[in-house]
Amino acid sequence: MKRWGDLSQETADHLGAGSVLDHAEMAVVVTDRFSNLLYWNPFAERLFGHTVATSARDISVLSLGIMEKDHPLAIELAKHVLKGGVWEGTFDVRRGDGTIVYVRAQAVPLRHDSGSVTGIVILAREALRSNEREKDRFGLLERIGERLAGSLYVEETLKRVAEMLVPQFADHCFIELTEGDRLVRRVSQHVQGWAPPLGTWKPVGAEIRYPSGHYADTALRRQETILVEDFSNSSFPAPTESSARLCGEIGMTSAIVAPLLVRGETLGLMYLGLSNLTDRRSPHYDAFDRDFVGAIATRVALAIDNALLFEEERHTAESFQKHLLPRALPQLDGLQIAVRYYPAAPLASHGQGIQTQVGGDWYDVIPLSAGRVGIVIGDVEGRGAKAAAVMGQLRAALRAFAQDDKSPADILARLDEWTRIIATPEQDDNGADISIPPIVTCQYLVYDAWSRQLSFANAGHAPPLLLVDGQCVELDIEEVGQPLGVRAKGLHADLVYKEETRTLPPGAALLLYTDGLVDRRPGRDGRPPSEEETLGVLCEALTKMSGAEAERIADVATVAVPGEIDDDMAILVVRSSDVDLDVEERTFPAQPIMVGEARRMASEAFAGWNVPEERAELACLLVSEVVTNVVLHAATSSVPRRELVVEGPPLPFEESWDVPGLDDEVVGDKEFTLRLRRGEESVWVEVFDQDLRLPRIRSAGENDEGGRGLYLVDQLARRWGSRPTREGKAVWFEIPTRSR
């Protein structure tokens, strides 16, 4: 008889180091100091579901399937162990077949004989399959809470729950939510490689009706978690005959159904089941499992409720902003336009809870006089519905200000004043006004497609990107004013915002954007990329698209910078035409005889442009009326007589003494300029003169000979108006070249 501890040769061979590692039901993974795999035993391949060639080199431990969200945890493990410590924790691992398992790991240093740490030894096993069930359950419960805390979308929340429970804790998982008085299946998750045949279990999106007496119906009515420990010892009515037949075919053994309760309301239920599709240590749930699932259901219900509230808030803010932004862009001559707006993804882990990323970014395209166009890009500080509301007020105000055809600097000055007016009124303890206006960056540009002249003023906004001749550079801006709402007291806005003018080359494109385009959330290294880095990446991508259409440029700009956007993003792309647009211009003396000459010039131009005869005659009639109005006012305008002031004693009069301006009125040579422009669907007429007085329609008496010219223009033109110029004013009108 052998003594205790005596081993046969076969047993002794089996206990060799290599044999033990090959047969141990524990994953053993060894890495070097750089986390490259050096050794892994057969059980590690089965646990992680990956086979790595033994001849491979420089393969990271992350290649075993550790999910991306746990990569920072793996980095922390390596840092801690390489310092000589011991680390223990859990990972979510995606196997090669796509299933997700919950793995508990312990890592210890691998030391050289000299005592230095040369690598890491990782011992791992699948959680919930060991005898330390209570510890594993609470570990999984903690992990589920962490995962759900960062979930702000209902579908994402439900998917995360199902992936963590199947096949880790269940073979089948159904989650059903109430919609009114209906119960609708939202999740149907099963062990990998199996799916219920059609016509058996109800699919996602189907209405679910559990018969009276069914354990799920009992869970809903009693609002408590129900355990079916062993189906072989229980009998319940089935929803359908086909579903009951399928349960028998796959050998359903046990189930737990937990209602999803929050704030006294039932959101739905969660169903977990075990079957013979998998080989488990225990094919049945028990009371401990029931309590565990009840705790999970509480966290799931709270996460779903938060997600529903967030989606409602986000939908409200997005709808609000969607209706504040222009729904359709005008068709403009000599200009292609493309716009994009994207709200950022919700803040999942920034300590800000449920917060929509819809903000105050906006854009606008405003038709102005004679085919000119106002272009706006702006960003209100802050996020949510309040920022969107401020944006809506500013956009409406700027549109109204733009109709005056003032310079871009004047428009921004007025908008700055308006920004202060809409500030939320607040007072200190002494009743003094301490209202803080919103901070807004904005850029307003006016583009004339016929002259290619671009006038603009900037209020603290990022310069547009200019794409021309295969290059992408920032538009040169000499004066960048302060953002709206932050101007110092006593400093007038006219001194802050300056107008600049550039001429766009034919075919050049401008990309206007808000900072959401170049702001990105931190990457895997935990460091957000700098604005210079992202701007360089953006310009590199746009350089290749400098000759593309505006829509294509907008598409490329949207995806050019990698990473998740950290703020909402607005993009506006404008491209000038490659060809010159038709224009005729001539200056005349402000004399009555020139009215006929101006009409003749217009008639010849319209004929050369093939404007329909009826439209051309109407335009010529209105040219006569506007030019006549200009000539009449030029003739009747008074010019002050110059006065000679002589100090001292009277001087003797001499006939030869000629003092300019003493005897004659100084009447400057009056003249007007007629400018005609042809567009795709309209012609524009502009008449310029040196009179600063803007015209207005007045009522003419029954016997009055005049006073009806502007009334005719108002009635017969599609649009008309006047605007001040540096030399005087311009009166303009638009006539469509097609029938109304």
Side-chain angles (χ1 to χ4, degrees):
M1 180 178 179
K2 292 186 177 181
R3 293 176 300 171
W4 179 261
D6 288 346
L7 302 175
S8 65
Q9 185 62 39
E10 180 182 356
T11 304
D13 293 340
H14 185 69
L15 289 179
S19 180
V20 169
L21 289 175
D22 286 344
H23 294 88
E25 292 191 358
M26 170 75 74
V28 180
V29 178
V30 182
T31 76
D32 60 15
R33 292 183 58 85
F34 304 101
S35 296
N36 295 318
L37 290 175
L38 299 177
Y39 171 82
W40 51 94
N41 67 345
F43 190 86
E45 292 189 354
R46 295 198 299 273
L47 174 62
F48 294 104
H50 292 272
T51 300
V52 183
T54 56
S55 60
R57 291 291 181 267
D58 299 332
I59 298 178
S60 171
V61 69
L62 298 178
S63 64
L64 290 177
I66 298 175
M67 295 184 67
E68 184 175 349
K69 69 177 186 61
D70 284 340
H71 286 183
L73 203 60
I75 296 173
E76 177 189 338
L77 177 156
K79 290 180 178 179
H80 185 74
V81 175
L82 290 175
K83 293 179 180 179
V86 176
W87 186 93
E88 184 175 357
T90 55
F91 295 102
D92 285 354
V93 173
R94 187 181 296 276
R95 289 170 164 169
D97 60 3
T99 58
I100 297 176
V101 293
Y102 180 55
V103 173
R104 180 179 296 279
Q106 185 178 39
V108 297
L110 177 66
R111 294 186 182 272
H112 188 264
D113 293 341
S114 63
S116 62
V117 178
T118 60
I120 302 172
V121 179
I122 302 174
L123 307 177
R125 57 181 169 76
E126 183 179 354
L128 305 180
R129 297 241 177 141
S130 71
N131 293 327
E132 298 182 24
R133 189 175 65 159
E134 182 175 349
K135 184 177 180 180
D136 288 340
R137 293 293 194 274
F138 286 115
L140 178 59
L141 188 62
E142 181 181 358
R143 176 56 64 91
I144 288 177
E146 292 174 358
R147 294 285 300 275
L148 295 181
S151 178
L152 294 178
Y153 291 105
V154 173
E155 297 301 330
E156 180 186 8
T157 300
L158 301 180
K159 181 180 178 182
R160 286 186 178 186
V161 172
E163 287 181 347
M164 295 194 71
L165 295 175
V166 177
Q168 197 78 45
F169 186 73
D171 297 333
H172 313 278
C173 174
F174 301 107
I175 300 179
E176 289 135 13
L177 299 183
T178 56
E179 296 181 4
D181 56 356
R182 301 166 63 239
L183 191 64
V184 178
R185 181 156 291 169
R186 302 290 291 273
V187 167
S188 179
Q189 183 86 7
H190 309 278
V191 289
Q192 186 70 18
W194 186 88
L198 294 176
T200 54
W201 290 345
K202 292 291 183 68
V204 172
E207 181 179 359
I208 306 299
R209 300 189 180 206
Y210 292 107
S212 179
H214 192 278
Y215 50 94
D217 179 67
T218 303
L220 284 174
R221 285 189 295 102
R222 294 183 182 177
Q223 294 191 347
E224 65 181 44
T225 303
I226 300 297
L227 164 68
V228 181
E229 189 169 349
D230 191 346
F231 277 112
S232 63
N233 298 327
S234 307
S235 178
F236 299 96
T240 62
E241 292 184 5
S242 58
S243 66
R245 187 165 52 253
L246 180 62
C247 288
E249 292 175 357
I250 64 175
M252 288 291 294
T253 58
S254 189
I256 299 176
V257 181
L260 302 175
L261 306 175
V262 65
R263 294 185 290 110
E265 297 183 6
T266 303
L267 301 181
L269 60 81
M270 181 173 65
Y271 180 109
L272 301 177
L274 296 175
S275 68
N276 292 331
L277 293 176
T278 58
D279 181 19
R280 295 180 182 270
R281 191 180 297 257
S282 174
H284 301 282
Y285 292 126
D286 58 18
F288 184 85
D289 295 321
R290 178 194 59 201
D291 296 339
F292 173 65
V293 172
I296 292 177
T298 300
R299 287 162 172 76
V300 171
L302 184 60
I304 291 174
D305 188 53
N306 287 341
L308 290 172
L309 291 174
F310 169 77
E311 289 191 358
E312 181 179 356
E313 178 192 351
R314 183 177 177 86
H315 176 72
T316 300
E318 285 183 347
S319 299
F320 185 36
Q321 186 169 56
K322 180 180 178 181
H323 287 83
L324 290 175
L325 292 173
R327 296 191 180 186
L329 298 176
Q331 296 296 322
L332 300 166
D333 292 298
L335 201 62
Q336 294 180 16
I337 300 178
V339 295
R340 299 288 187 273
Y341 174 79
Y342 297 97
L347 296 176
S349 58
H350 287 58
Q352 301 189 39
I354 298 178
Q355 181 181 1
T356 176
Q357 288 294 82
V358 172
D361 291 14
W362 94 92
Y363 57 82
D364 208 351
V365 179
I366 309 170
L368 301 176
S369 62
R372 295 155 64 248
V373 57
I375 303 169
V376 188
I377 191 81
D379 186 0
V380 179
E381 183 185 46
R383 294 168 178 147
K386 180 179 179 180
V390 172
M391 175 271 290
Q393 295 182 71
L394 293 178
R395 175 176 174 259
L398 193 148
R399 267 192 163 259
F401 298 155
Q403 300 308 313
D404 290 343
D405 266 324
K406 296 288 184 66
S407 71
D410 291 337
I411 298 297
L412 288 188
R414 295 186 64 183
L415 196 63
D416 177 72
E417 294 294 340
W418 186 253
T419 303
R420 299 168 185 276
I421 292 174
I422 64 175
T424 303
E426 296 182 14
Q427 293 182 340
D428 60 13
D429 296 338
N430 298 323
D433 182 23
I434 57 171
S435 301
I436 301 177
I439 299 176
V440 184
T441 64
C442 180
Q443 183 155 266
Y444 180 61
L445 310 90
V446 175
Y447 180 64
D448 187 331
W450 280 263
S451 66
R452 303 187 187 280
Q453 182 172 298
L454 182 73
S455 302
F456 58 87
N458 189 296
H461 202 82
L465 297 180
L466 175 63
L467 282 67
V468 62
D469 296 333
Q471 294 182 331
C472 175
V473 296
E474 287 190 339
L475 184 67
D476 179 33
I477 298 180
E478 297 177 359
E479 296 285 346
V480 177
Q482 295 293 325
L484 306 177
V486 299
R487 173 171 48 87
K489 291 184 178 181
L491 184 63
H492 196 271
D494 292 342
L495 303 176
V496 178
Y497 307 112
K498 303 296 183 181
E499 180 180 0
E500 300 181 45
T501 302
R502 303 285 186 275
T503 299
L504 285 187
L510 281 177
L511 173 73
L512 292 82
Y513 62 93
T514 58
D515 54 9
L517 179 61
V518 293
D519 285 348
R520 288 297 185 269
R521 292 182 182 171
R524 295 182 182 180
D525 58 358
R527 181 186 68 86
S530 67
E531 186 172 331
E532 291 75 13
E533 293 173 343
T534 54
L535 192 59
V537 172
L538 176 62
C539 285
E540 183 179 355
L542 293 178
T543 298
K544 305 173 184 177
M545 308 301 300
S546 62
E549 300 291 321
E551 289 288 344
R552 180 61 180 150
I553 294 175
D555 289 337
V556 170
T558 301
V559 299
V561 182
E564 193 174 23
I565 61 176
D566 197 37
D567 196 359
D568 56 333
M569 174 175 69
I571 299 173
L572 191 152
V573 180
V574 294
R575 174 176 285 286
S576 64
S577 174
D578 290 325
V579 298
D580 294 332
L581 303 183
D582 292 328
V583 60
E584 295 286 345
E585 183 174 326
R586 181 179 168 187
T587 300
F588 301 88
Q591 300 173 1
I593 195 174
M594 292 295 107
V595 175
E597 290 296 321
R599 179 166 181 155
R600 182 177 299 107
M601 170 193 163
S603 178
E604 293 174 354
F606 296 150
W609 293 341
N610 296 319
V611 176
E613 183 178 355
E614 177 186 358
R615 304 279 98 188
E617 290 181 356
L618 175 59
C620 289
L621 170 63
L622 299 187
V623 166
S624 298
E625 295 297 336
V626 174
V627 170
T628 299
N629 189 70
V630 168
V631 170
L632 288 176
H633 283 286
T636 58
S637 61
S638 60
V639 179
R641 178 184 297 273
R642 294 183 182 177
E643 296 182 358
L644 178 63
V645 178
V646 181
E647 297 182 356
L651 298 176
F653 176 76
E654 296 184 7
E655 294 183 358
S656 61
W657 188 26
D658 184 13
V659 180
L662 182 62
D663 297 323
D664 303 324
E665 287 186 354
V666 178
V667 180
D669 293 333
K670 299 290 185 178
E671 57 185 18
F672 67 89
T673 299
L674 176 63
R675 179 190 293 166
L676 310 173
R677 294 178 166 186
R678 183 180 71 161
E680 183 68 24
E681 297 184 352
S682 300
V683 291
W684 284 272
V685 175
E686 292 179 284
V687 180
F688 300 84
D689 67 352
Q690 292 79 40
D691 192 352
L692 298 176
R693 296 170 296 176
L694 298 179
R696 61 182 180 85
I697 300 176
R698 63 183 180 87
S699 300
E702 183 177 346
N703 298 320
D704 290 348
E705 295 183 2
R708 298 178 178 84
L710 291 182
Y711 176 79
L712 287 175
V713 175
D714 182 65
Q715 293 296 309
L716 299 178
R718 172 185 287 176
R719 294 192 305 151
W720 81 279
S722 61
R723 70 175 188 272
T725 64
R726 293 182 179 179
E727 296 79 17
K729 70 172 182 299
V731 181
W732 61 274
F733 63 85
E734 176 187 357
I735 295 292
T737 54
R738 300 177 183 177
S739 299
R740 294 185 179 180

